[in-house]
Amino acid sequence: MTTQILLAGFGGQGILFAGKFMAYKGLLEGRQLSWLPSYGPEMRGGTANCNVILSDEPVGSPIVTDPDVLIVMNLPSFDKYESTVVPGGMIIADSTLIEKKSERTDIKCFYVPATKMANDMGIPTLANMILAGKFIRETGAIKWEGMEDTLHHIISARHQDMFDANLKALKAGYEYEG
Amino acid sequence: MIVFQKPHALTDKEFHYCPGCTHGIIHRLVAEALDKLEIEGTAIGIAPVGCAVMAYDYFACDMFEAAHGRAPAVATGIKRANPDRIVFTYQGDGDLASIGMAETVHAATRNENITIIFVNNAIYGMTGGQMAPTSLPGQVTQTSPYGRDVNLVGYPIRVCEMLATLDGPEYIERVAVNSVANVRKAGKAIEKAFRNQVEGKGFSLIEIVSACPTNWGMTPQKALQWIDEKMIPYYPLGVYKDRSAAKEAK
Amino acid sequence: MAEVVLMKGNEAIAESAIRSGCLYYFGYPITPQTEIAAYMAKTMPKRGGVFLQAESEIAAINMVYGVAGSGKRVMTSSSSPGVSLKQEGISYLAGSELPALIVNVQRGGPGLGGIQPSQSDYFQATKGGGHGDYHMIVLAPSSVQEMADLTSKAFDLADKYRMPAMLLADGTIGQMMEPVVLPEGKPNLIDKPWAANGTLMKRKHNIINSLNLDTPDLERQNFERYKKYAVVEENEVMYEDYMMEDAEVCIVAFGIAARVAKNAIAAARKEGIKAGLIRPITLWPFPKKPIAAAAEKPELKGFISVELSMGQMIEDVKLASSMKKPVELVNRAGGMIPTPDEVLTAIRKMAGGDK
């Protein structure tokens, strides 16, 4: 199975980090994968996006043009990428930041008020990981088991205090109904 | 009894320099310093593009020929990879002060532990007498046939004065080779520049005000006079920076 | 078993270089390859090596010249505009028969261009770039794993043939992360008796030089160098043959373009069109023989060169195939990447109709 994921939002929302988390989880599960960030000046405050492919076969092009899953954290990206999701695919949107709903009937859509949830939980920078938790729950593309190990890998040594917060965010997303 | 002989650090290759050219004297002074400090075996020299381009044939130590102006960068690479070796460049005014100015300034500001022998004869010799960054105001050359017009092409660059403003370099001195007394002083300066490197003190540059009778259109003797009358007033001799001495004085 | 790690392509180059015995790095920041410099700055001091941020690309390549001439493994990296600045130094490396690695993580040009991935420095890399008759060995990685593997290979080949080698990557491969196994074990360092690293009064002086004013002798040197190049062309060609056995359409693509092509080939094969790929891994020496052999096959309808340029490698495909079959181009430029659909459309067209 191959899952092509497009994560998109503003720079600073942790789009690349959430993608990196998925890639690392895939690595530790022994999957084939690629992680490709947008790069350049747009990384500072402009739009940021990141392509992640998780597969059981060698990854061909790392460029995701028709995602199976779109994880989206701002309206411009929602407008830009909604139509690119493959039929049968999925959108996971931060509904605190995107009031709009998709009119497509051939895809599944999940609206998670991730930014509000993160603020309420006192972890305002981790809406990205709430959406990642929802992604795990709804796609099964990566497993919940081994989550702690992955977080230890990607959270640098000097930020290990962020470990609990990330786990909390992932859990909140994983358990979110709706 | 041997009263005079060729320094060991020079090969037997015959110099190609013009009659009256002072490169020969400067080569000898460099070789004498290598001999005296017994560093020929660990020395690595870098020849420039310019009249001294074939200096690699004249020095008996290992040698490089660098691209025009890049000798200080080449020296940086060699020295960083071989910190126990003695690395020197031998460059002219076009090489060091025009096309290679960036490499010169940055090697100086990094205080690379290298020795730079900078031959300033106020003209491009190898290509046949064009204006150099150090050509004097009014000086007639092939590319300043009406005399260097400072309003059109700017003023000569005083390298020692400029580099001395940097915090980085260890030692900056200007000497000349137009008289026996000056040649002796030049020899001492060159030796000091190498000794500084041996002692790990850092970047040492010796500017040598030098003659080019052929392209100046003068007899060798007149050229030496011209150094006294024209060059030295514009390029005063002396020590411009000696960090260790300044420290000791404090 | 060797550890699989997740790394950016640029970082894989840096780590692989150090493991390959390259302890000297000189560079100047430019997107999209700056991670190499950053990694070297952080890592070299801990591994007993040297990282130096040079004042310019020109200075950096000349620092490389100095280290290479003293007999040690050394590298620099840059992206397209910066690599243009290095060309003088590369010509001197080639002229002085010095081994060194130059990495070009290409971006769109010409001029200052953009910062998105490109392959438009193909001509510069494979046909010379600097002045004079010379070649570099040019390796084109198409994955993060190959960024590591070919970096190591480049050092070995450069040393073996005493010539500069270039890793010609692009912004995509440089920026992306993939699982990678880094080289293990002792680097393959060879003796370099020609190095100018001090005579220690035990031998005649060595001279690192490209000047030769004896014209017939300079000619002789050039002919000698090209004899060496002929040996490289004979022995060092690397390419990937992907589903070529029964192919009726042959795509030729390298680097990121080859990965896009593989997606298109998979889609074409689902439609019953037998497409295959010849992926040059060495761009110089170019894999002429497999392309010539493919051109001879009766079932082959033609070649499609897929490139992130206005069509540069296509000239080598035309030469290698002696134009015995049509050679088409699918290309994007200026930082854009062809889509698998664009390649698939061209495959369909070449295969004939909407089969």
Side-chain angles (χ1 to χ4, degrees):
Chain A
M1 199 184 90
T2 299
T3 311
Q4 304 209 13
I5 308 147
L6 172 62
L7 300 97
F10 288 122
Q13 285 179 316
I15 291 292
L16 303 187
F17 183 84
K20 200 168 160 184
F21 160 76
M22 293 172 187
Y24 254 102
K25 188 69 176 74
L27 177 80
L28 296 175
E29 289 178 17
R31 311 281 308 278
Q32 304 278 350
L33 66 98
S34 64
W35 173 93
L36 175 67
S38 59
Y39 62 86
E42 65 187 10
M43 285 160 77
R44 305 285 180 269
T47 58
N49 69 65
C50 148
N51 301 174
V52 178
I53 300 177
L54 295 163
S55 182
D56 298 320
E57 289 154 35
V59 177
S61 170
I63 300 147
V64 175
T65 45
D66 309 304
D68 298 307
V69 183
L70 169 66
I71 298 175
V72 60
M73 294 187 72
N74 69 7
L75 185 63
S77 299
F78 183 88
D79 288 339
K80 188 172 174 187
Y81 297 119
E82 181 203 1
S83 63
T84 65
V85 177
V86 296
M90 183 187 294
I91 295 178
I92 301 173
D94 185 335
S95 58
T96 312
L97 305 173
I98 307 163
E99 289 178 12
K100 215 171 180 177
K101 306 282 182 244
S102 174
E103 287 175 11
R104 286 182 63 176
T105 53
D106 59 341
I107 56 173
K108 278 190 249 174
C109 296
F110 298 94
Y111 304 98
V112 184
T115 295
K116 183 174 184 307
M117 288 166 70
N119 284 332
D120 291 349
M121 285 191 285
I123 45 170
T125 58
L126 290 175
N128 59 333
M129 298 305 275
I130 294 176
L131 297 175
K134 186 67 176 167
F135 166 83
I136 299 168
R137 161 85 169 268
E138 301 302 338
T139 65
I142 47 176
K143 300 186 185 93
W144 181 262
E145 292 76 46
M147 199 57 64
E148 289 85 353
D149 196 22
T150 307
L151 284 178
H152 279 305
H153 265 87
I154 59 163
I155 299 172
S156 63
R158 63 195 162 98
H159 292 129
Q160 278 301 324
D161 54 313
M162 288 299 289
F163 177 85
D164 290 338
N166 273 275
L167 194 60
K168 198 166 142 190
L170 280 167
K171 267 190 183 147
Y174 191 78
E175 287 161 4
Y176 180 79
E177 302 289 341
Chain B
M1 195 180 88
I2 298 168
V3 291
F4 187 82
Q5 64 183 4
K6 180 180 71 63
H8 190 272
L10 286 179
T11 64
D12 292 335
K13 181 94 176 174
E14 219 171 283
F15 289 165
H16 69 280
Y17 299 113
C18 305
C21 169
T22 40
H23 269 304
I25 296 171
I26 301 164
H27 279 28
R28 184 181 173 89
L29 295 177
V30 170
E32 281 176 353
L34 298 179
D35 281 5
K36 182 151 186 212
L37 299 172
E38 298 183 338
I39 51 174
E40 181 194 322
T42 52
I44 303 170
I46 300 149
V49 171
C51 280
V53 69
M54 281 181 285
Y56 54 78
D57 277 337
Y58 305 140
F59 291 108
C61 58
D62 274 357
M63 292 295 294
F64 280 67
E65 203 297 303
H68 199 22
R70 315 302 172 215
V74 175
T76 297
I78 299 170
K79 187 70 183 186
R80 295 280 179 135
N82 304 274
D84 59 339
R85 297 299 195 251
I86 300 302
V87 182
F88 72 94
T89 73
Y90 187 109
Q91 303 174 259
D93 40 53
D95 195 83
L96 181 138
S98 188
I99 195 166
M101 185 57 103
E103 284 79 1
T104 305
V105 170
H106 284 270
T109 203
R110 289 191 303 262
N111 198 27
E112 293 291 343
N113 190 23
I114 59 174
T115 302
I116 292 188
I117 307 299
F118 166 38
V119 179
N120 177 7
N121 60 11
I123 203 144
Y124 282 76
M126 191 203 210
T127 44
Q130 295 79 31
M131 188 183 73
T134 52
S135 294
L136 297 179
Q139 189 179 335
V140 173
T141 72
Q142 198 183 63
T143 50
S144 57
Y146 312 110
R148 179 175 188 149
D149 182 346
V150 294
N151 294 314
L152 288 178
V153 299
Y155 290 86
I157 295 173
R158 293 186 181 98
V159 171
C160 288
E161 288 84 336
M162 193 177 71
L163 292 182
T165 65
L166 299 172
D167 292 338
E170 163 67 22
Y171 192 78
I172 310 280
E173 181 176 357
R174 184 184 289 125
V175 295
V177 283
N178 63 328
S179 68
V180 174
N182 278 346
V183 169
R184 287 216 174 105
K185 278 186 206 159
K188 282 199 179 121
I190 289 169
E191 189 187 316
K192 183 171 175 62
F194 278 103
R195 195 184 297 279
N196 283 344
Q197 187 179 167
V198 172
E199 292 171 359
K201 285 182 175 167
F203 185 93
S204 300
L205 179 144
I206 308 299
E207 174 176 340
I208 298 146
V209 178
S210 189
C212 181
T214 300
N215 287 299
W216 290 355
M218 299 174 195
T219 63
Q221 203 176 9
K222 179 83 183 65
L224 297 180
Q225 267 175 26
W226 200 75
I227 289 180
D228 257 335
E229 289 162 11
K230 302 284 181 184
M231 290 278 283
I232 292 176
Y234 205 93
Y235 298 108
L237 307 186
V239 176
Y240 285 84
K241 190 171 176 103
D242 185 346
R243 224 169 38 169
S244 295
K247 251 186 228 161
E248 277 165 29
K250 275 180 194 168
Chain C
M1 207 182 94
E3 194 194 356
V4 184
V5 293
L6 197 56
M7 269 185 140
K8 275 193 167 193
N10 286 336
E11 294 165 344
I13 290 172
E15 179 58 35
S16 175
I18 297 170
R19 289 177 182 225
S20 304
C22 170
L23 291 175
Y24 307 97
Y25 173 92
F26 304 93
Y28 188 88
I30 181 170
T31 305
Q33 63 78 51
T34 306
E35 290 84 359
I36 302 176
Y39 192 96
M40 291 301 196
K42 205 171 163 182
T43 313
M44 278 299 197
K46 295 178 192 167
R47 309 269 276 270
V50 171
F51 162 83
L52 186 62
Q53 180 169 322
E55 59 269 30
S56 67
E57 303 293 359
I58 297 168
I61 192 70
N62 283 284
M63 291 172 186
V64 166
Y65 178 82
V67 179
S70 77
K72 298 186 172 167
R73 284 193 167 175
V74 58
M75 70 176 288
T76 183
S77 66
S78 189
S79 181
S80 306
V83 176
S84 290
L85 281 169
K86 291 186 193 295
Q87 293 304 324
E88 176 197 41
I90 294 171
S91 173
Y92 276 67
L93 286 166
S96 305
E97 317 267 342
L98 293 183
L101 174 63
I102 301 104
V103 175
N104 182 358
V105 182
Q106 298 167 92
R107 56 188 251 183
L112 197 48
I115 59 169
Q116 297 305 319
S118 173
Q119 297 179 329
S120 51
D121 302 343
Y122 178 90
F123 281 152
Q124 185 196 58
T126 61
K127 312 292 177 192
H131 58 283
D133 283 317
Y134 76 90
H135 279 294
M136 283 184 287
I137 291 167
V138 183
L139 300 162
S142 150
S143 64
V144 176
Q145 185 63 56
E146 281 191 347
M147 288 288 234
D149 294 346
L150 296 181
T151 293
S152 200
K153 180 89 183 166
F155 280 113
D156 288 350
L157 289 174
D159 276 354
K160 184 175 174 185
Y161 294 103
R162 280 186 68 182
M163 59 190 286
M166 175 171 277
L167 196 72
L168 191 69
D170 66 71
T172 314
I173 310 281
Q175 292 295 323
M176 69 188 283
M177 285 202 300
E178 283 185 314
V180 56
V181 178
L182 293 159
E184 298 276 357
K186 268 198 160 179
N188 186 23
L189 301 179
I190 59 170
D191 199 28
K192 296 175 178 173
W194 47 263
N197 55 358
T199 63
L200 301 179
M201 310 305 273
K202 286 175 183 162
R203 57 163 168 77
K204 198 175 164 281
H205 66 166
N206 283 336
I207 300 171
I208 302 299
N209 179 32
S210 59
L211 178 70
N212 189 346
L213 296 177
D214 177 345
T215 310
D217 196 54
L218 182 58
E219 185 197 40
R220 180 197 59 76
Q221 279 185 338
N222 273 285
F223 274 90
E224 285 298 319
R225 191 170 297 119
Y226 271 69
K227 275 185 203 160
K228 173 171 88 179
Y229 292 162
V231 176
V232 177
E233 288 198 273
E234 189 56 37
N235 296 326
E236 306 298 349
V237 170
M238 290 166 66
Y239 66 97
E240 181 189 0
D241 177 309
Y242 182 77
M243 298 192 173
M244 277 303 296
E245 194 163 299
D246 59 352
E248 52 185 331
V249 174
C250 175
I251 295 176
V252 185
F254 67 94
I256 187 64
R259 297 183 61 149
V260 172
K262 283 182 179 176
N263 285 26
I265 289 166
R269 291 217 167 229
K270 268 187 196 157
E271 294 177 11
I273 303 171
K274 291 169 186 158
L277 168 74
I278 292 175
R279 175 172 73 88
I281 297 172
T282 51
L283 298 178
W284 193 90
F286 192 71
K288 295 174 186 169
K289 284 179 188 168
I291 289 171
E296 297 291 345
K297 286 187 177 176
E299 70 271 23
L300 192 93
K301 292 180 174 156
F303 297 90
I304 302 171
S305 189
V306 181
E307 304 183 49
L308 277 68
S309 73
M310 291 309 293
Q312 299 190 13
M313 182 181 66
I314 190 172
E315 295 193 1
D316 285 331
V317 178
K318 285 178 177 176
L319 280 169
S321 64
S322 305
M323 297 289 284
K324 285 181 180 164
K325 297 283 166 64
V327 182
E328 301 294 337
L329 177 68
V330 173
N331 69 311
R332 299 294 298 270
M336 298 298 287
I337 301 173
T339 64
D341 276 348
E342 286 165 354
V343 181
L344 181 60
T345 303
I347 293 173
R348 284 190 192 125
K349 197 176 157 198
M350 185 166 277
D354 298 314
K355 191 170 142 191

